[in-house]
Amino acid sequence: MTYVIAQPCVDVKDKACIEECPVDCIYEGQRSLYIHPDECVDCGACEPVCPVEAIFYEDDVPEEWKDYYKANVEFFDELGSPGGASKLGLIERDHPFVAELPKQG
């Protein structure tokens, strides 16, 4: 089980969750943030600090945003498990599902 970042984060990327994450598993794409499913320790520290309420426990993602689970997992297919987001900084891409969304906000 893991946490998932959904639609409210797209084009916002507040990053309060990054600062709160004790294991550095929240990666920054072009338009959204992504939680690495294998690096997340399910501590939940990120969820309450998200100002746009975009972070959900995997089983609690609202139905209209269920595709974000797949986007969060597949974002790391090419990237693998780098062992910490801070080493990489901004990743110059997004999952195709997120990249194709119209501009948010």
Side-chain angles (χ1 to χ4, degrees):
M1 295 297 201
T2 189
Y3 281 83
V4 173
I5 297 177
Q7 188 275 330
C9 183
V10 177
D11 296 325
V12 174
K13 298 193 311 182
D14 173 79
K15 302 182 193 174
C17 57
I18 291 174
E19 296 169 16
E20 201 64 34
C21 180
V23 294
D24 195 26
C25 72
I26 303 174
Y27 292 73
E28 181 181 4
Q30 278 295 119
R31 298 181 62 196
S32 188
L33 302 175
Y34 300 85
I35 297 175
H36 198 297
D38 296 331
E39 295 175 6
C40 178
V41 296
D42 302 330
C43 71
C46 58
E47 186 180 19
V49 300
C50 179
V52 293
E53 299 179 1
I55 302 173
F56 301 90
Y57 193 64
E58 175 182 335
D59 291 341
D60 298 332
V61 177
E63 190 60 40
E64 70 265 27
W65 296 329
K66 289 291 185 189
D67 291 338
Y68 285 87
Y69 171 77
K70 183 178 176 184
N72 271 255
V73 171
E74 291 178 355
F75 180 76
F76 298 99
D77 284 353
E78 274 183 44
L79 200 57
S81 189
S86 61
K87 293 189 264 184
L88 299 182
L90 176 67
I91 299 164
E92 299 286 336
R93 65 177 178 80
D94 279 296
H95 184 274
F97 174 76
V98 172
E100 294 168 7
L101 288 171
K103 180 82 173 148
Q104 306 293 303

